[in-house]
Structure formats: structure tokens, C-alpha cells
Amino acid sequence: MACLLEAPLRISVLSEVTATSRHYVDRLFDPDPQKVLQGVIDMKNAVIGNNKQKANLIVLGAVPRLLYLLQQSSSSLELRTECAVVLGSLAMGTENNIKSLVDCHIIPALLQGLLCPDLIFIEACLRCLRTVFISPVTPVQLLYTDPTVIPHLMSLLSRSQRTQEYITQIFSHCCKTPEHQTVLFNHGAIQNIAPLLISPSYKVRMQALKCFSVLAYENTQVSMTLVNVLVDGELLSQVFVRMMQRDQPIEMQLTAAKCLTYMCRAGAIRTDDSCVVLKTLPCLVRMCSKEHLLEERVEGAETLAYLMEPDVELQRIASTTDHLVAMLADYFKYPSSVSAITDIKRLDHDLKHAHELRQAAFKLYASLGSNDEDIRKKITETENMMDRIVSGLSESSIKVRLAAVRCLHSLSRSVQQLRTSFHDHAVWKPLMKLLQNAPDEVLVMASSTLCNLLLEFSPSKEPILESGVIELLCTLTQSDSPALRVNGIWALMNMAFQADQKVKVEIVRCLGTEQLFRLLSDPDSNVLMKTLGLLRNLLSTRPHIDQIMSSHGKQILQAVTLILEAEHSVEVKEQTLCILANIADGNTAKEILMTNDDILQKIKYYMGHSNVKLQLAATFCISNLIWNEEDVQAVVSSDCSPKGSQERQDKLREMGFVDILHKLTQASDPNLCDRAKTAMQQYLA
């Protein structure tokens, strides 16, 4: 019976609330303007801090009426302003409230309101727009639909401190793409916002600073302009340095450090500049200490990782600053059971967001260890580090998994770590599990790491091979993502290096000749290069060369011909000629080349090419073809009639190769000269 009573009870309470809310909405339609104004003021007081009341009023249709009153020129300025205030209050509710407001076309109505000369009304409209635009559910593109909006907002910056605060906050939240950066830059964002950095209002200074951080991010044009900007006679970079001082609020220190980080990464400030080495980097390291709030530690670590990612010297400096490597270990223990957090709400928040700390720590470790062997050693020797990475690979948060695999990839560049820590902790097992089912972003990083684990000197190579990885890698080569195709073929290339014939045969069988030759015509040059590398590794050691050429020789030479004839880079053609040199080193495979005059003519052409690398590779081919150690193995083969080195030499002489070799003995490049002389000696032997 209790269940039956629950629904009617809820309906009666709801109808009571709705009746109260209905009263507020009804008053908006009163013919007396003064009563309408009082109704709006009462509604304003009723919705403050009351999300349920806000939701009811939206459901009952208050928003369209408020927008109508706001846009009517016959409405008093006071009424229009109060309508903007109520709409701003409704926007401070739930995300559903924002969606409803946006669906009612609140943004164009408020933007239109900015054309009114009255400052108080403009500020009310801007405050509401700010609240709407900072919500993640609002499409930021709505700010850029009308091309007159941005210049008008720029013109309003000078009206008051409030307009400065709201407009810069709108800009910093709505600048999401390079196109947005360009629009703001072209409409004078830098010169209009720079003076606000010395505003007497902290809120204005802070929002202006945030604006510059989003404008400079990965934007060379903006960053190069910022370097030369003067604010009250002081360079902008020095203004940022002052904002990083310890006596400034943490939020300001962090955002100023981000501005200088982005300018540095965009190439506007050198990595060895004192404002980076002595100010920005130490400030960001400072943010990683446990005295700071969780979000400050996360932002500090992620910004620091980005700052030093491409620069080994910054990585070395950071690794020895304030015991950073050890300090990051605390990120995995937070909040601890003896946490100093007494605020229950803060503790609850941090427990829910602790994974962000782990993610940030993995990112920073990845950046720190991307180049220097000593730093990698220091990272792996940090307490339980390898266990933490292994755990991170199977965390529920996709971002943590990605950061953990990035960290693993960074450490996998070390021969020493591949032979020790990686082997001791069998990291290949969770890595293989991750490869079975993950988003492309994780797959790219995981397969990159796998490439390193499959290098010849890695102890993990054998167990990975035994786990049936070949099929998985062959599947990756069929991906729509060029990065995954590259990694799949790269891993197979590493696997084929000095492999026994069984492994090579399995690679060819699993990949299939059709797919192999499809990859040889891949539009992505990296895929093509790695496929050529795989082919070169498959065609190494004479028995393997002869076996593969006897079954696939025709298709291989067809693919080689197409590559040598097409418009490809020197690197691609050099690799292709090296494959021919490997084929020419086979026993029976030599004869396949010798009967293909088209290929021989191409080798001849590249021997006379203007590029020394191609000349050298082509000369290697001929050197192997004319080599006169007699084909003992080939003679044993009953199904082949070898012509012997003498007949090959005679044919190549008739085709003019000897004359070319003679010319190359006079080449200015010493390697080419020596190779040509060695080949000529075969004719004299």
C-alpha cells in the first residue's frame, strides 16, 4: 500500500510548487508595467540559490516572456535590466537550464541588448552571457556567427571594469580553435587586452591573463606578437614574470607560467631564456608540491610536462629541481589515510578526482624521461614505479591508461630498461591486453611501445611472439588511421629483423601478399617507408631471400618498379634500391634480377643519379650481382640453371655498367668511390 501512496503524494507537492511558480510567471503578463517590474524583481529574489524554483519557472515558460520583455524598446531600462539579471540567475542552475535558455535563443537576444547605450543594462547582459558561455553545454560557435559581435565586444572593453572582466572571461572560454584565435587576433585582442594586465581589479587582471594563455596556445603568430608587446613601458614577458612571484595568488602564478610556456613552445621565447629556466620552470615545479590543491598540482605537472617535452636540457634541469622525481611519487598516494584535509567536501572532491593526479604524474614522468638515460633510471628506481605503471594500464579512466602507456613508451626508449625493469615486471602482458580493446589514441601509443619491446635486444620479444602478436599487428596495418598502420608495420619490421625463417613465413602468411603490396602503394610516406623496411628485413640471409623470391618474386619486382618510377622521396627510393641489393645477394634470386632488363636499366639510371645516396645504393646492387664467389649453393639446386658470375659480368658489361663503375671510381664521395673500386675488382679477379 505504501508504494501506491507515494506517487499521489509527490504529485500534490509538485502541484503546490508549480502553483507558486505559476504565480510568478502569470505576473509577467500583467498589463500594468509597474506590476510586471515588481513581478520580475520578486522572481529574482525567489530563484536565488533555488535550483528547483529555476527549473519550474523554465518549464512554465518564463524564459520566452523574459526575453520578449528584455527586447521590447517600450520596456523601461530598469525592467530590461532586471530581466537580464533573472535570466543570468536561471543560467546559474543546472546544465539543463542552460540548454533550455540556449534553445530559446537567449544568446542573440543578449548580444542585441549590448547595442543599448546604458552601461548598467550592458553589464547585466554581459554577466548573463558570461554565465551561459562558461557552461560546457553552450556551443561557443554562437559567439562567432555574426561577424559584428567580436569588434563590438572589443569596443565595450573600455566602458567599465565589469565589462572588462565579463568580456575577457567570455573570450577565454570561447577561444577553442586556431580559427577562433585568428578571429580574436585580427580584431585587436592583443592591443585591447594587454593594458588590462595592470588593471587595479584583480578579477580583470586574472581574466586578461587567461585570455592570453588561450590565445598563445600552439599559436606562433600570437606568441611572436606577444613577445614585442609593451605594457606601460614594460615587456609583456616581464609582466608575466612578475605575476609568477610567490606573493601572487596561485591561480595567477600558474596562468602566467602557462602563458610563458605556450610562448616558448611556439618558438617565441628560447628554451634557454632566463624567464623560462629561472622563472617559469621553477614556478611549475613548485606547483607540484603537496602543499597545493589537487587541481593546482595537476595543472602544474601537465604544464611542466608540455614545457619541457621537446627539450632535453629543460628535462635535466627539472629532474634535479626540488627533488621533482620523488615529489611526483606522492601523486599516487593522494589523499592518504592521514590526509591533512579536514574539509569533508574537499576530501570527497579529491577522492573523486585523485585519478587526475595519477594521470598528470604519468604525463610528467613521460616528458622527463623522453631523452635522458639517467633520468629514466631515476624514474624506474622511484618506489614501486613500474608496478604503478602496470596498474595504470588497467585503470578504469581512459585518460589514466593513456598517460600510463605514454610513460611506458618514454621509458621503453632505453635499452637498459628494456633489458631490466620491463623484463622483470613483464610489462608486455598488460600492454598486450590493452591492445585488444582500446580507443585509437591509446592504441597508437600502446603499439608504439610494442615496437620498442620487439627490438632484437629486448628480452620481451620472444614471449610476445609466442603470444600470437603477429595476427594483431597485421590487423593494425589495415586500420584507417595512418599512425596505427605505421605502428603495425613497424612492429612487424622489428620482429622480422634477424628472425628465423619460421617467423618470416608466418608474417608473410598472416599479412598476405595482397595487403603487403597494398601497403607499398600507401599514400602515407611513413607507412611506405616502414613497409619497405619490413620487406628488406624479410629479404635478408640468402636462404630466406631465395625462398621468398621464388614464391613472390614477380610481385615484389613489380612493386619495386612502380616505386622507382613514381615521384617519391630520396629516402623511399634509397630503401627500395637497398631491397634490390638484398635480392642481388641471394643465390637463385640473383637470376630473377638478371632476367629483368627493366629493373637493370633502372639500377643503371640511379647509378648515374645526382644524389649520392641513390648512386651508392644502386652500386651496391651491381656489386652483389657481379660478385664472383661461385654459386656453390645454387649449383646444388636441381631446378635452377645458374649462369655464374662470369655470364652475369658479361651481360652487365654489354649493358654499359662497367663504364659507369669506372667513372664512379673517380667520384668525389669517398664511400661511393670505394664501392665502385670494389665492384671493379670483381672484373679483374
Side-chain angles (χ1 to χ4, degrees), residues 613-626:
K613 286 182 177 179
L614 298 182
Q615 284 182 290
L616 194 57
T619 307
F620 259 112
C621 296
I622 293 305
S623 187
N624 284 349
L625 283 175
I626 61 177

Side-chain angles (χ1 to χ4, degrees), residues 70-88:
L70 180 138
Q71 293 176 89
Q72 285 304 298
S73 55
S74 57
S75 299
S76 67
L77 262 176
E78 189 181 1
L79 175 58
R80 294 171 75 192
T81 304
E82 290 294 348
C83 285
V85 172
V86 174
L87 288 164

Side-chain angles (χ1 to χ4, degrees), residues 433-466:
K433 194 176 174 186
L434 194 62
L435 281 161
Q436 304 301 325
N437 182 27
D440 275 7
E441 199 179 3
V442 175
L443 275 179
V444 167
M445 201 50 65
S447 53
S448 275
T449 310
L450 192 65
C451 288
N452 292 343
L453 266 67
L454 285 167
L455 287 164
E456 181 218 0
F457 47 75
S458 166
S460 304
K461 183 174 181 176
E462 281 309 311
I464 291 172
L465 267 172
E466 287 161 16

Side-chain angles (χ1 to χ4, degrees), residues 362-379:
F362 283 138
K363 276 186 183 176
L364 187 43
Y365 276 137
S367 191
L368 275 168
S370 56
N371 290 292
D372 189 279
E373 192 61 40
D374 291 336
I375 299 174
R376 290 185 192 124
K377 189 169 185 288
K378 199 189 281 190
I379 291 169

Side-chain angles (χ1 to χ4, degrees), residues 233-247:
E234 187 179 23
L235 277 172
L236 192 63
S237 56
Q238 288 310 305
V239 176
F240 292 153
V241 166
R242 269 195 298 103
M243 289 175 151
M244 286 191 296
Q245 288 172 357
R246 289 171 186 257
D247 60 349

